[in-house]
Amino acid sequence: MVTDPSTAFIHLDDVTKSYRLGESTIQAADHLTLSIDEGSATAIVGRSGSGKSTLLHLIGGIDRPDSGTITVDGQNLGALTRNKLADYRSSIGFVFQQFHLLPALSALDNVLVPLVARRVDFDRHDAARQLLEAVGLHGREHAMPSQLSGGQQQRVAIARAMIHRPTLLIADEPTGNLDTTTATGVLDLLFQLQQDHGTTLVIATHDTTVAAQADDVIHIDSGHIDEQKNADARTP
Ligand SMILES: Nc1ncnc2c1ncn2[C@@H]1O[C@H](COP(=O)(O)OP(=O)(O)OP(=O)(O)O)[C@@H](O)[C@H]1O
């Protein structure tokens, strides 16, 4: 668990983000201060509308805060130019509730999408095949998304999120569209990949069982932190 913000991989200091909705203002991030360790798995839990996605969007550089600072891997996101922020965003692996696979591309080609126009020092096809095998889809490389179940499509999406070897993986309700058994398999896979690759995982979920697998759990309500605690459930 993080004790020193100066050594944290992700640090938010007094971050706010509000949205105007007609006459009213919604405080989606309400003076958030938190730290996340490199290589850890952090669950963001809270009821619908509590601000989980907002927090992930701020960490992922998809949204900019109204005030406060966000530092990731030593970079102050607020100080980055538009191009540098785009580079930062593309360095992250994102997994969403909707799988967002390209329907005209095979599983293998979907996994390769993040590497289009990117120079890499590894064999991209080998890497994609290995990842599809790691997510349990060996033999389904050439299947089209429409030929895969929801759980299998999410596995492809996870492989796609990992293909560029991100140091940070952000997952927003990744099991929201899956039945309980399939969801458990997908979560186990995310945590396994996180451990195997030393990736920092930040996962937002309604699913309280996720908390038991995470290193840290941040409870949010109405945009502010109710509690940040070490789940202390993982065997060393
Ligand atoms: N673009 C937007 N414009 C206006 N209000 C927004 C916008 N995005 C989010 N909100 C509001 O901000 C609050 C937090 O939303 P957010 O999506 O972060 O919650 P959440 O915890 O991820 O919810 P869910 O679990 O339902 O996805 C909500 O009240 C939501 O309606």
Side-chain angles (χ1 to χ4, degrees):
M1 187 172 190
V2 172
T3 47
D4 182 359
S6 68
T7 62
F9 183 66
I10 299 171
H11 184 66
L12 272 69
D13 186 18
D14 205 23
V15 166
T16 66
K17 176 77 187 175
S18 61
Y19 296 106
R20 295 276 318 158
L21 205 62
E23 291 297 291
S24 56
T25 302
I26 295 166
Q27 197 71 37
D30 189 5
H31 299 280
L32 293 176
T33 296
L34 61 91
S35 296
I36 292 175
D37 270 337
E38 184 163 19
S40 67
T42 300
I44 312 291
V45 297
R47 62 182 172 75
S48 181
S50 56
K52 302 183 296 297
S53 297
T54 300
L55 174 55
L56 295 191
H57 292 173
L58 290 167
I59 291 173
I62 294 172
D63 265 342
R64 287 192 187 262
D66 298 334
S67 64
T69 54
I70 302 171
T71 311
V72 181
D73 200 10
Q75 302 186 91
N76 175 356
L77 301 191
L80 298 181
T81 61
R82 189 185 286 254
N83 283 347
K84 289 280 179 208
L85 193 64
D87 288 347
Y88 166 73
R89 270 197 303 269
S90 62
S91 74
I92 298 171
F94 287 100
V95 180
F96 299 99
Q97 181 172 344
Q98 318 290 344
F99 321 126
H100 297 304
L101 298 182
L102 294 172
L105 297 185
S106 67
L108 187 75
D109 287 339
N110 264 288
V111 174
L112 287 166
V113 163
L115 299 186
V116 170
R118 195 192 286 248
R119 209 182 284 250
V120 289
D121 60 1
F122 54 87
D123 184 309
R124 58 187 69 211
H125 287 90
D126 277 357
R129 283 200 187 84
Q130 277 170 27
L131 270 170
L132 281 172
E133 187 168 350
V135 300
L137 288 175
H138 178 64
R140 304 304 303 274
E141 293 84 354
H142 300 294
M144 304 305 281
S146 61
Q147 298 171 315
L148 298 171
S149 70
Q152 289 169 335
Q153 289 184 55
Q154 190 60 304
R155 286 165 184 270
V156 174
I158 291 169
R160 179 185 56 188
M162 296 293 291
I163 188 70
H164 59 299
R165 304 182 176 177
T167 51
L168 173 60
L169 182 61
I170 290 177
D172 194 356
E173 296 282 358
T175 58
N177 274 341
L178 305 174
D179 64 73
T180 312
T181 310
T182 310
T184 304
V186 164
L187 286 175
D188 287 348
L189 172 66
L190 270 174
F191 284 105
Q192 192 60 55
L193 285 173
Q194 176 258 329
Q195 286 187 322
D196 290 350
H197 296 258
T199 314
T200 305
L201 172 65
V202 186
I203 177 169
T205 180
H206 294 112
D207 185 347
T208 47
T209 62
V210 173
Q213 284 173 280
D215 298 306
D216 286 286
V217 183
I218 296 173
H219 290 267
I220 59 170
D221 185 23
S222 303
H224 66 263
I225 296 176
D226 253 5
E227 195 177 21
Q228 176 171 8
K229 65 177 180 188
N230 183 240
D232 203 27
R234 200 176 264 181
T235 44

